[in-house]
Amino acid sequence: MLDQFTIATKGGIVLWSKAYAPITHRPVDSLVQDVLIQSTRLDSSSSSKYHAGTYSLQWTFANELNVIFIAVYQKILQLPYLEDLLHHVKKHFVTRFEQEIKLLVDSECTVFPDFSDFEQEFEQVWRAVEDRETKERISGRQGGVPRKFEDTKKFQTTAKGAKLELEELAQSSEMDLGRKTGGKMRSWNERGIAASDDSKGVTAASKKGKKGKKAKENRVWDGQVTKESMKALDFSSEKDSEHEGGSHAIASLVDERARGERTADGIYEVADVAERSVSGDSDSFVLLGDSALDNKEDSNDRAASGGGIFGIFKSLTSGRVLTADVLAEPMARMREHLANKNVAADVAEEICQTVARGMIGVRVGGLQNIRRLVEQSMETALTRILTPVSSTDIIRDIEQAQLQHRPYTMAFVGVNGVGKSTNLSKVCYWLVQNNKRVLIAACDTFRSGAVEQLRVHVRNLRALSESNQNVEIFERGYGKDSATIAKDAIAFGAANSFDVVLIDTAGRMQDNEPLMRALAKLVSVNSPDKILFVGEALVGNEAVDQLEKFNQALRDFSGQSKPRHIDGIILTKFDTIDDRVGAALSMTYTTGQPIIFVGTGQTYTDLRKMNVSQVIRALLRV
């Protein structure tokens, strides 16, 4: 545990400091006196150690800026991650405040820069380095289990090892001899005599009460399915269902740390993506690369190629007034940076134009001003793109449908394998937490196991709900018309006072015209309140093409004067894309429809909402 961390110039000016425990005897002053003033170890640019009383101090230099980074901790402690911590804190601090530090040494500087907002970033770096060291220690402990002495070659050279080896050789030779003897061919006469003797022996043994020869067992051929094995694999009985619904199995269906929160009105809301930290690791914070400060030219080249968006604007900090000509080159680099985040070209152009309009005519005097301008301009652009044109308050829409004495219907559409049924069950869990009765219509009558999958979800959701009657399934088997099944399910839901009907559809490729016509028929016949397109986040802009063609098919094949279109988007596997959130922007920009939820895992609570600030942080991330 650290007692203090201090960042100062070699001249003695403290830039930033954080104490985690009361410090006595001023160990940092002792370091300055013995190391900086007397220069006993000043030539070392790597981290070094110094002892002062009960404290140990470890430090490293940023020689190009004459800045020293000092960590103070108790001498009795062993902190193996400390050198890595100093290394990464130096990278983050210098990358963020390089211009301010340079201005500080300028003789014309009259205002001391504010470094206080570095505290949050320092905590994130510390937590990330500490977590990484813990993982490496655990993995090394698991992978480095020593072998037993009996498993080594040295054991074979001992008397005991040699004896065991001879016994194994003897056993193997006896087995080989038995196989050779057993393999000798016998004549038909010998076989008959042997069979007669065996039968007499069995009869005599049974009469005398002695143990006779074991009766021959039926051979079980490989791949043959017996009644016992079929019975063991049958999980459809009520007994097995009750067994699987035990407390242990139910606990694995939800992640308590990933639950959302209830509002003052008692409505259960899922958490934002930016709040996801349920695993306890540092995945939400990315340490800068090891070579970020090794070479100035490499840093500029990486900034120009998308390594960090604020490095693009470093050349604009000379205090001049920004014009369109001055911003032309940085905007071109910014477009390339956004393209590396999977942002479509037209969306990147829209963002760059908005950022440029917010910066033209502004006189800037430091990188912090540039940072604020870029963040504000990007927030304006992304807010305009991500602001929905239709209602996203599904709970309110459900209550409006209840006033009309009908169930609220939602259809889930998308290509194969994106997770429609899984995310339908997550949405169902969210609705059940809001005390809604849900009917799931099994309209995927093509894929084998689709109905059974929904049955399992319904069984699990019933076990998780306070009332087992809150979730039911409506099914008609396979090979039937999905539009008719959906119509019957809606009628059944209205007759039995269900609040919501969730329609699960079969996955289909966007270029398959017969299946797209069937989907358009389902939508035209049943007119669901909300059509949700389920797409994968990891396929990038391919999801945009899928969304456009689904929309086009609903318009072309509906046969109505006012055809329906996609009303919202659910983006699955969002936890697999790191900071490449461009596909989410592109899908919203293309259709004008909002991203209702994003899927971030496999439990029922792994459902999130997107927010503008999270997208901005991902796009600006180095």
Side-chain angles (χ1 to χ4, degrees):
M1 180 64 183
L2 287 178
D3 288 306
Q4 184 179 3
F5 197 99
T6 301
I7 304 174
T9 64
K10 290 182 180 179
I13 301 176
V14 177
L15 304 180
W16 180 86
S17 182
K18 175 70 175 179
Y20 296 93
I23 303 295
T24 58
H25 305 299
R26 298 183 176 181
V28 175
D29 292 348
S30 300
L31 174 68
V32 173
Q33 176 70 27
D34 297 341
V35 177
L36 296 186
I37 296 179
Q38 298 182 9
S39 301
T40 55
R41 304 175 65 177
L42 192 58
D43 57 339
S44 176
S45 61
S46 61
S47 59
S48 305
K49 290 185 179 180
Y50 172 80
H51 300 291
T54 59
Y55 296 102
S56 290
L57 291 84
Q58 199 163 336
W59 76 92
T60 187
F61 290 110
N63 288 326
E64 69 278 8
L65 297 173
N66 290 323
V67 176
I68 182 172
F69 300 80
I70 307 170
V72 183
Y73 59 99
Q74 295 291 330
K75 187 188 296 185
I76 61 174
L77 297 179
Q78 296 292 330
L79 302 179
Y81 62 85
L82 204 54
E83 185 172 350
D84 197 25
L85 175 65
L86 289 166
H87 179 70
H88 284 289
V89 169
K90 178 177 72 172
K91 282 178 169 42
H92 282 262
F93 188 83
V94 173
T95 301
R96 183 170 179 179
F97 298 109
E98 181 177 4
Q99 296 298 324
E100 285 78 359
I101 298 173
K102 289 181 178 179
L103 290 173
L104 184 63
V105 300
D106 191 352
S107 59
E108 298 180 358
C109 179
T110 58
V111 179
F112 189 81
D114 183 16
F115 301 99
S116 60
D117 57 347
F118 182 69
E119 180 175 346
Q120 182 179 1
E121 188 169 349
F122 173 79
E123 297 289 345
Q124 291 176 321
V125 173
W126 185 12
R127 194 159 49 246
V129 171
E130 208 172 29
D131 290 346
R132 187 167 69 178
E133 191 273 335
T134 302
K135 290 180 181 178
E136 291 176 354
R137 186 174 67 251
I138 294 175
S139 61
R141 189 179 298 166
Q142 292 175 347
V145 177
R147 292 180 298 167
K148 294 181 180 179
F149 179 65
E150 290 78 2
D151 297 333
T152 62
K153 292 184 177 181
K154 191 173 183 180
F155 173 74
Q156 298 177 3
T157 62
T158 62
K160 186 177 180 181
K163 183 178 179 181
L164 289 175
E165 186 176 6
L166 289 174
E167 291 177 356
E168 292 176 357
L169 291 174
Q171 291 177 0
S172 61
S173 61
E174 290 177 0
M175 292 176 63
D176 293 339
L177 181 62
R179 282 195 294 266
K180 292 178 181 178
T181 304
K184 182 179 178 181
M185 296 182 65
R186 296 183 295 173
S187 64
W188 287 106
N189 190 26
E190 291 174 347
R191 293 183 183 181
I193 294 173
S196 177
D197 293 341
D198 290 342
S199 61
K200 291 178 180 179
V202 172
T203 305
S206 61
K207 289 181 179 180
K208 293 180 181 181
K210 296 182 179 181
K211 184 178 180 180
K213 183 178 179 181
K214 185 178 179 180
K216 183 177 179 181
E217 297 181 356
N218 294 329
R219 174 175 292 182
V220 179
W221 299 95
D222 293 338
Q224 182 178 358
V225 180
T226 62
K227 292 183 178 180
E228 291 77 9
S229 61
M230 291 178 64
K231 186 176 181 180
L233 295 172
D234 184 9
F235 298 100
S236 60
S237 63
E238 295 181 359
K239 182 178 180 180
D240 292 336
S241 299
E242 294 173 358
H243 176 71
E244 289 186 3
S247 59
H248 178 73
I250 294 302
S252 64
L253 299 177
V254 296
D255 189 347
E256 294 294 338
R257 298 168 296 178
R259 282 184 179 273
E261 297 181 352
R262 293 194 178 274
T263 63
D265 299 332
I267 298 176
Y268 175 79
E269 292 287 354
V270 298
D272 292 338
V273 178
E275 298 174 4
R276 178 174 174 79
S277 58
V278 297
S279 59
D281 57 18
S282 57
D283 293 341
S284 59
F285 184 79
V286 179
L287 294 171
L288 295 182
D290 292 336
S291 60
L293 300 175
D294 295 341
N295 191 303
K296 184 70 175 178
E297 294 180 358
D298 293 343
S299 178
N300 291 338
D301 292 341
R302 186 173 61 257
S305 61
I309 198 168
F310 293 116
I312 298 173
F313 300 97
K314 285 186 177 181
S315 61
L316 305 180
T317 59
S318 60
R320 57 184 173 181
V321 178
L322 300 180
T323 63
D325 295 336
V326 173
L327 291 172
E329 183 179 355
M331 288 300 108
R333 294 182 179 181
M334 185 175 177
R335 276 190 290 271
E336 185 177 354
H337 174 87
L338 295 174
N340 290 333
K341 302 289 187 180
N342 280 344
V343 180
D346 51 349
V347 183
E349 181 65 27
E350 172 74 16
I351 294 174
C352 290
Q353 288 180 1
T354 304
V355 173
R357 284 195 297 267
M359 298 176 67
I360 290 176
V362 177
R363 182 186 298 274
V364 294
L367 191 59
Q368 288 301 311
N369 293 335
I370 289 289
R371 179 187 291 268
R372 285 192 293 269
L373 282 174
V374 173
E375 288 180 345
Q376 291 172 1
S377 300
M378 289 195 69
E379 184 175 2
T380 301
L382 296 180
T383 301
R384 183 166 59 250
I385 293 174
L386 294 176
T387 299
V389 297
S390 59
S391 173
T392 59
D393 191 348
I394 296 178
I395 299 299
R396 187 190 65 182
D397 295 342
I398 293 173
E399 293 173 354
Q400 290 292 330
Q402 289 176 333
L403 296 177
Q404 302 172 12
H405 305 288
R406 65 175 183 85
Y408 185 84
T409 56
M410 301 170 63
F412 293 74
V413 303
V415 300
N416 308 77
V418 296
K420 289 184 299 299
S421 300
T422 301
N423 284 273
L424 178 146
S425 64
K426 294 179 184 179
V427 173
C428 182
Y429 175 81
W430 170 65
L431 294 171
V432 170
Q433 294 301 305
N434 285 293
N435 300 319
K436 305 299 180 185
R437 290 195 66 206
V438 183
L439 178 67
I440 299 178
C443 296
D444 184 356
T445 62
F446 179 78
R447 177 172 62 91
S448 299
V451 178
E452 288 76 9
Q453 180 184 8
L454 291 179
R455 287 178 190 166
V456 173
H457 283 308
V458 168
R459 183 185 65 204
N460 295 339
L461 292 168
R462 280 183 172 180
L464 292 171
S465 64
E466 296 179 358
S467 173
N468 288 336
Q469 305 301 320
N470 280 347
V471 186
E472 290 189 20
I473 184 173
F474 186 91
E475 58 173 292
R476 288 290 184 265
Y478 295 97
K480 307 293 179 25
D481 181 38
S482 58
T484 302
I485 296 177
K487 183 178 181 180
D488 294 342
I490 295 173
F492 179 85
N496 292 273
S497 302
F498 280 93
D499 301 320
V500 185
V501 176
L502 304 180
I503 302 173
D504 182 38
T505 63
R508 65 204 76 210
M509 296 309 294
Q510 64 270 25
D511 297 320
N512 192 322
E513 182 176 332
L515 293 181
M516 296 306 294
R517 286 183 179 274
L519 178 63
K521 176 185 175 184
L522 183 148
V523 172
S524 300
V525 170
N526 299 283
S527 187
D529 295 288
K530 191 78 75 176
I531 304 174
L532 298 180
F533 176 82
V534 184
E536 284 182 329
L538 55 86
V539 299
N541 288 309
E542 170 65 17
V544 180
D545 177 69
Q546 296 170 1
L547 180 57
E548 289 178 338
K549 292 186 176 179
F550 265 77
N551 250 338
Q552 186 66 36
L554 291 179
R555 289 194 297 266
D556 295 345
F557 304 139
S558 66
Q560 296 178 339
S561 58
K562 294 182 179 180
R564 293 291 303 276
H565 54 76
I566 301 296
D567 300 312
I569 303 166
I570 295 180
L571 211 53
T572 67
K573 307 174 187 177
F574 199 76
D575 53 327
T576 64
I577 61 171
D578 192 26
D579 57 355
R580 299 181 180 273
V581 298
L585 276 178
S586 302
M587 295 173 73
T588 304
Y589 181 83
T590 300
T591 62
Q593 301 303 327
I595 296 177
I596 306 295
F597 297 113
V598 294
T600 58
Q602 298 183 0
T603 67
Y604 293 126
T605 53
D606 288 323
L607 201 65
R608 294 286 185 274
K609 293 186 300 182
M610 285 194 65
N611 57 38
V612 177
S613 60
Q614 189 271 340
V615 176
I616 293 175
R617 284 195 297 271
L619 292 178
L620 300 183
R621 186 178 297 168
V622 177

